[in-house]
Amino acid sequence: MTIADLFMIFAVLTGPIIAVQLTRYLDSTKEEKERKVIIFKTLMATRAYNGSWDHVEALNRIDLEFDSNNKKEKAVITAWKAYHDLLHSRSINIEQWDIKRAELLVELLYEMAKVLNYDFDKTHIKNSSYAPVVHRENEEENTALRRGLLQVLEGKRGIPIKFSDMQKPEK
């Protein structure tokens, strides 16, 4: 038996194993990237509605899917930590907080876009979302209604009743 025969036997025996392992590695890499893309797409789609459940869930998944040991992804983790820190901050007034929150969210999305090979600049990320005014108004009204109802249920407020245009019943 020659060395060429031994190499042929080795190739025949190990070829399928190597092919399966390579396929598994490629599938795993593809799934990891897809999970990151889902987070990015969710955050981009909900950036005008930063209080939505989907937005919050996507933010909370960043730590699970992005790796601070990966040189490219470290910037995403750093941006997320800065944004997360601000979200828990009560040390600045609400107007400044909201401006800073928008800036840090744009920075986070920009870093994610770079890692995932999307060609978005910060201006596009900041200004290209669409949020109808009626959605904001509906949310404000719903919040006011819930707060008012809670005050009534807690006994802190009564229900105003106004009598007007009272007519005598017909006989």
Side-chain angles (χ1 to χ4, degrees):
M1 190 176 285
T2 66
I3 292 180
D5 292 335
L6 290 174
F7 278 126
M8 182 60 79
I9 292 169
F10 178 76
V12 168
L13 293 175
T14 60
I17 295 169
I18 292 170
V20 168
Q21 291 301 320
L22 181 59
T23 300
R24 290 178 75 192
Y25 171 76
L26 293 174
D27 286 347
S28 175
T29 303
K30 182 180 176 184
E31 289 172 9
E32 285 177 21
K33 182 173 182 181
E34 185 57 32
R35 288 191 304 268
K36 292 171 189 170
V37 167
I38 289 170
I39 291 170
F40 177 70
K41 285 181 176 182
T42 301
L43 291 175
M44 285 292 287
T46 61
R47 65 190 183 272
Y49 303 101
N50 55 27
S52 75
W53 287 105
D54 290 339
H55 188 85
V56 173
E57 180 183 342
L59 288 173
N60 286 319
R61 291 177 54 209
I62 292 171
D63 286 330
L64 297 172
E65 302 300 339
F66 289 86
D67 184 4
S68 61
N69 295 321
N70 179 312
K71 189 176 179 180
K72 284 178 67 176
E73 294 180 10
K74 186 170 182 63
V76 172
I77 298 298
T78 301
W80 165 230
K81 286 179 180 178
Y83 186 55
H84 184 267
D85 187 55
L86 178 75
L87 292 176
H88 288 83
S89 174
R90 301 283 186 250
S91 62
I92 59 177
N93 72 45
I94 191 69
E95 291 85 17
Q96 291 174 324
W97 182 89
D98 200 42
I99 291 167
K100 187 71 173 171
R101 184 204 54 75
E103 289 173 1
L104 291 176
L105 178 59
V106 167
E107 183 65 27
L108 172 62
L109 292 171
Y110 177 72
E111 293 300 336
M112 291 175 84
K114 287 192 323 188
V115 167
L116 300 170
N117 297 317
Y118 283 91
D119 187 23
F120 293 134
D121 60 35
K122 291 180 182 181
T123 303
H124 176 81
I125 292 169
K126 181 180 178 184
N127 297 328
S128 66
S129 67
Y130 174 63
V133 172
V134 69
H135 288 184
R136 181 181 46 80
E137 290 171 349
N138 285 342
E139 187 60 34
E140 289 171 357
E141 289 170 355
N142 286 336
T143 299
L145 285 169
R146 285 193 310 271
R147 285 186 180 146
L149 181 59
L150 282 173
Q151 288 176 343
V152 169
L153 293 173
E154 292 170 349
K156 295 178 182 175
R157 181 181 207 174
I159 299 175
I161 298 175
K162 180 180 177 183
F163 296 99
S164 63
D165 297 331
M166 293 196 57
Q167 297 177 358
K168 292 182 181 181
E170 294 183 25
K171 291 186 182 185

